[in-house]
CSV table of all heavy atoms in Angstrom, one decimal:
chain,number,residue,atom,x,y,z
A,88,ALA,N,-70.4,217.9,237.0
A,88,ALA,CA,-71.6,218.4,236.5
A,88,ALA,C,-72.4,217.5,235.6
A,88,ALA,O,-73.5,217.6,235.5
A,88,ALA,CB,-71.3,219.7,235.8
A,89,ALA,N,-71.6,216.6,234.9
A,89,ALA,CA,-72.2,215.7,234.0
A,89,ALA,C,-72.6,214.4,234.7
A,89,ALA,O,-72.9,213.4,234.1
A,89,ALA,CB,-71.3,215.4,232.9
A,90,GLY,N,-72.5,214.3,236.0
A,90,GLY,CA,-72.9,213.2,236.8
A,90,GLY,C,-71.9,212.1,236.9
A,90,GLY,O,-72.2,210.9,237.2
A,91,TYR,N,-70.6,212.5,236.6
A,91,TYR,CA,-69.5,211.4,236.8
A,91,TYR,C,-68.7,211.7,238.0
A,91,TYR,O,-68.7,212.8,238.5
A,91,TYR,CB,-68.6,211.5,235.6
A,91,TYR,CG,-69.2,210.8,234.3
A,91,TYR,CD1,-70.0,211.6,233.4
A,91,TYR,CD2,-68.9,209.5,234.0
A,91,TYR,CE1,-70.5,211.0,232.3
A,91,TYR,CE2,-69.4,208.9,232.9
A,91,TYR,CZ,-70.2,209.7,232.0
A,91,TYR,OH,-70.7,209.1,230.9
A,92,ARG,N,-68.2,210.6,238.5
A,92,ARG,CA,-67.3,210.7,239.6
A,92,ARG,C,-65.9,210.8,239.1
A,92,ARG,O,-65.6,210.1,238.1
A,92,ARG,CB,-67.5,209.4,240.5
A,92,ARG,CG,-67.2,209.4,241.9
A,92,ARG,CD,-67.4,207.9,242.4
A,92,ARG,NE,-66.3,207.3,242.7
A,92,ARG,CZ,-65.8,207.1,243.9
A,92,ARG,NH1,-66.3,207.9,244.9
A,92,ARG,NH2,-64.7,206.5,244.0
A,93,LEU,N,-65.1,211.7,239.6
A,93,LEU,CA,-63.7,211.7,239.2
A,93,LEU,C,-62.7,211.2,240.1
A,93,LEU,O,-62.7,211.4,241.3
A,93,LEU,CB,-63.3,213.2,238.9
A,93,LEU,CG,-61.8,213.3,238.3
A,93,LEU,CD1,-61.7,212.9,236.9
A,93,LEU,CD2,-61.4,214.8,238.6
A,94,VAL,N,-61.9,210.2,239.6
A,94,VAL,CA,-60.8,209.7,240.4
A,94,VAL,C,-59.5,210.1,239.9
A,94,VAL,O,-59.3,210.1,238.6
A,94,VAL,CB,-60.9,208.2,240.7
A,94,VAL,CG1,-62.2,207.8,241.2
A,94,VAL,CG2,-60.7,207.4,239.3
A,95,VAL,N,-58.6,210.4,240.7
A,95,VAL,CA,-57.3,210.8,240.2
A,95,VAL,C,-56.2,209.8,240.5
A,95,VAL,O,-56.2,209.2,241.6
A,95,VAL,CB,-56.8,212.1,240.9
A,95,VAL,CG1,-55.5,212.6,240.5
A,95,VAL,CG2,-57.8,213.2,240.6
A,96,THR,N,-55.4,209.5,239.6
A,96,THR,CA,-54.3,208.6,239.8
A,96,THR,C,-53.0,209.2,239.4
A,96,THR,O,-53.0,210.1,238.5
A,96,THR,CB,-54.4,207.2,239.2
A,96,THR,OG1,-54.2,207.4,237.7
A,96,THR,CG2,-55.7,206.6,239.4
A,97,THR,N,-51.9,208.8,240.0
A,97,THR,CA,-50.6,209.3,239.7
A,97,THR,C,-49.8,208.3,238.9
A,97,THR,O,-49.8,207.1,239.3
A,97,THR,CB,-49.8,209.7,241.0
A,97,THR,OG1,-50.6,210.4,241.8
A,97,THR,CG2,-48.5,210.4,240.7
A,98,THR,N,-49.1,208.7,237.9
A,98,THR,CA,-48.4,207.7,237.1
A,98,THR,C,-46.9,207.7,237.4
A,98,THR,O,-46.3,206.7,237.2
A,98,THR,CB,-48.5,208.1,235.5
A,98,THR,OG1,-47.9,209.4,235.3
A,98,THR,CG2,-49.9,208.1,235.1
A,99,GLY,N,-46.4,208.8,237.8
A,99,GLY,CA,-45.0,209.0,237.9
A,99,GLY,C,-44.4,209.3,236.7
A,99,GLY,O,-45.0,209.5,235.7
A,100,PRO,N,-43.0,209.6,236.7
A,100,PRO,CA,-42.4,210.2,235.5
A,100,PRO,C,-42.1,209.3,234.3
A,100,PRO,O,-41.8,209.7,233.3
A,100,PRO,CB,-41.1,210.7,236.1
A,100,PRO,CG,-40.9,209.9,237.3
A,100,PRO,CD,-42.1,209.4,237.8
A,101,ASP,N,-42.3,207.9,234.6
A,101,ASP,CA,-41.8,206.9,233.6
A,101,ASP,C,-42.9,206.6,232.6
A,101,ASP,O,-44.1,206.4,233.0
A,101,ASP,CB,-41.4,205.7,234.2
A,101,ASP,CG,-40.1,205.9,235.0
A,101,ASP,OD1,-39.4,206.9,234.8
A,101,ASP,OD2,-39.7,205.1,235.9
A,102,VAL,N,-42.6,206.5,231.3
A,102,VAL,CA,-43.6,206.3,230.3
A,102,VAL,C,-44.2,204.9,230.4
A,102,VAL,O,-45.3,204.6,230.1
A,102,VAL,CB,-42.9,206.5,228.9
A,102,VAL,CG1,-41.9,205.5,228.6
A,102,VAL,CG2,-44.1,206.7,227.9
A,103,VAL,N,-43.4,204.0,231.0
A,103,VAL,CA,-43.9,202.7,231.1
A,103,VAL,C,-45.0,202.5,232.1
A,103,VAL,O,-46.0,201.8,231.9
A,103,VAL,CB,-42.7,201.6,231.5
A,103,VAL,CG1,-41.7,201.4,230.5
A,103,VAL,CG2,-42.1,202.1,232.8
Side-chain angles (χ1 to χ4, degrees):
Chain A
Y91 285 85
R92 208 176 106 94
L93 182 70
V94 304
V95 177
T96 70
T97 307
T98 59
D101 293 340
V102 70
V103 290

